[in-house]
Amino acid sequence: MLPAGSYDGTTVLITGGGTGLGRAMAVEFARLGARVGIVSRDPAHHAAGVTAVEQAVDEAAPAGRPKRAVAVGAVADVRDPEQVAAAFDAVESALGPVSVLVNNAAANFPVLAAELSPGGWRAVVDVVLTGSFLCSRELHRRHVARGARPGAILNISAAQAFTGGPGMVHSASAKAGVDAMTKTLAVEWAPDGIRVNGLVPGLFPHQDLPASLRALRERDPDQDATDARRQPAGRVGQPHELGWAATYLCSPFAGFLTGHTLVLDGGNHLRRDFVMPPVVPVAEQLRPRSL
Ligand SMILES: CCCCC/C=C/C(=O)SCCNC(=O)CCNC(=O)[C@H](O)C(C)(C)COP(=O)(O)OP(=O)(O)OC[C@H]1O[C@@H](n2cnc3c(N)ncnc32)[C@H](O)[C@@H]1OP(=O)(O)O
Ligand SMILES: NC(=O)C1=CN([C@@H]2O[C@H](COP(=O)(O)OP(=O)(O)OC[C@H]3O[C@@H](n4cnc5c(N)ncnc54)[C@H](OP(=O)(O)O)[C@@H]3O)[C@@H](O)[C@H]2O)C=CC1
């Protein structure tokens, strides 16, 4: 954990910050003093994120301290550059200039590559890869125009980017693009004082996942125990742990770190051996089963 107040005076914009892991990161940034802008499509998600942030900050604050406006939501589909610019405007007019961006918004659903429509491919690649680029570009443009520094961008990726993702070709391909973008922008924007890093969550189950992903887990009534047994660390990740890693990577304590992608997965992506469990074809894994 970073020292209290590490983010005092800093405005952090988190795409998809109203649900799941984005919300957990928003809470950890706010606990350390950040003002947080939550950007996504659904205002109900913003409200959930703002409430979580305010509760966490209130719990951590001394009794009687006046309540501060620490979080706001702004509507944008990250695929649309005009909506992205408008959301930055809204966040900055409420909370001040954004100097930290977390590209967390994502889309994903399990599908066999042979059955994925062009529209389904585009939806995922555009949200994950194009959305991360458009938001990064917007932060860079504003940061440079105001001569501000330092700045930090954190791209939330996935281990599928380097292992491949059978049953999720769209997401794996998009996240691999995000990792290449992390390295590229780290070099291009280092002279502008903007660090660009990546963070890969391992398995972090939570209730906000879309139905198609939840359904994969809900087939097994003992899924929590099964998931834990599948991880070298013997457990899945807890969302606040991702928040701890994110707040470190964007902080001055990581001031010389750029172009790096940190994997937080209890060792799961390294779990390869000469002898592996028998192969179950992905088509069989995704086929609906009667319980
Ligand atoms: C515990 C397991 C964890 C596994 C690892 C998790 C990794 C993650 O990335 S988690 C993040 C997942 N979160 C989300 O996906 C949240 C947001 N998702 C969505 O809003 C939808 O899933 C979306 C991606 C479909 C939204 O895109 P949008 O453009 O708004 O959606 P459309 O309904 O217009 O669909 C576009 C396109 O995609 C096809 N499609 C949608 N769902 C499926 C599906 N389940 N299977 C196959 N195809 C799907 C849809 O048919 C459209 O295609 P066309 O009809 O060809 O235009
Ligand atoms: N949970 C896990 O185990 C893993 C997660 N990850 C990654 O972690 C990150 C967070 O995922 P997680 O919290 O689990 O998933 P969620 O589904 O909870 O979060 C996805 C978020 O993205 C937002 N979003 C989706 N599409 C758009 C869009 N077009 N424009 C703006 N915002 C959008 C959604 O908000 P709204 O609907 O309001 O637009 C939602 O808040 C993602 O990058 C994901 O790929 C990676 C590996 C494993």
Side-chain angles (χ1 to χ4, degrees), residues 21-115:
L21 305 185
R23 184 164 76 211
M25 288 188 277
V27 163
E28 297 308 319
F29 275 106
R31 268 196 228 282
L32 294 169
R35 300 180 289 256
V36 182
I38 293 171
V39 172
S40 73
R41 299 162 300 174
D42 185 346
H45 291 161
H46 307 159
V50 168
T51 301
V53 163
E54 287 180 346
Q55 270 173 5
V57 170
D58 281 355
E59 278 163 20
R65 182 194 58 87
K67 197 168 172 178
R68 293 179 297 146
V70 288
V72 297
V75 173
D77 187 319
V78 294
R79 293 171 279 195
D80 179 337
E82 284 169 11
Q83 291 186 40
V84 166
F88 267 77
D89 282 344
V91 169
E92 294 197 326
S93 71
L95 303 179
V98 174
S99 58
V100 174
L101 164 69
V102 182
N103 283 313
N104 165 77
N108 196 2
F109 48 81
V111 64
L112 296 174
E115 293 171 10

Side-chain angles (χ1 to χ4, degrees), residues 30-220:
R31 268 196 228 282
L32 294 169
R35 300 180 289 256
V36 182
I38 293 171
V39 172
S40 73
R41 299 162 300 174
D42 185 346
H45 291 161
H46 307 159
V50 168
T51 301
V53 163
E54 287 180 346
Q55 270 173 5
V57 170
D58 281 355
E59 278 163 20
R65 182 194 58 87
K67 197 168 172 178
R68 293 179 297 146
V70 288
V72 297
V75 173
D77 187 319
V78 294
R79 293 171 279 195
D80 179 337
E82 284 169 11
Q83 291 186 40
V84 166
F88 267 77
D89 282 344
V91 169
E92 294 197 326
S93 71
L95 303 179
V98 174
S99 58
V100 174
L101 164 69
V102 182
N103 283 313
N104 165 77
N108 196 2
F109 48 81
V111 64
L112 296 174
E115 293 171 10
L116 176 61
S117 71
W121 167 270
R122 275 190 215 104
V124 172
V125 172
D126 281 357
V127 173
V128 173
L129 181 54
T130 309
S132 298
F133 173 68
L134 292 175
C135 293
S136 302
R137 170 182 170 272
E138 194 61 35
L139 177 113
H140 176 262
R141 189 176 72 72
R142 288 165 189 256
H143 207 72
V144 168
R146 51 173 79 102
R149 57 177 58 219
I153 296 174
L154 185 63
N155 294 324
I156 306 303
S157 187
Q160 298 165 336
F162 30 90
T163 62
M168 293 178 181
V169 65
H170 43 16
S171 173
S173 307
K175 294 289 193 183
V178 166
D179 287 359
M181 195 174 71
T182 297
K183 293 177 190 147
T184 305
L185 299 185
V187 174
E188 284 200 28
W189 294 353
D192 300 320
I194 300 177
R195 295 183 300 109
V196 187
N197 288 298
L199 176 58
V200 166
L203 188 59
F204 282 72
H206 58 79
Q207 286 311 307
D208 292 331
L209 283 170
S212 59
L213 289 172
R214 282 204 317 274
L216 284 183
R217 303 190 70 251
E218 286 160 3
R219 290 168 171 195
D220 177 353

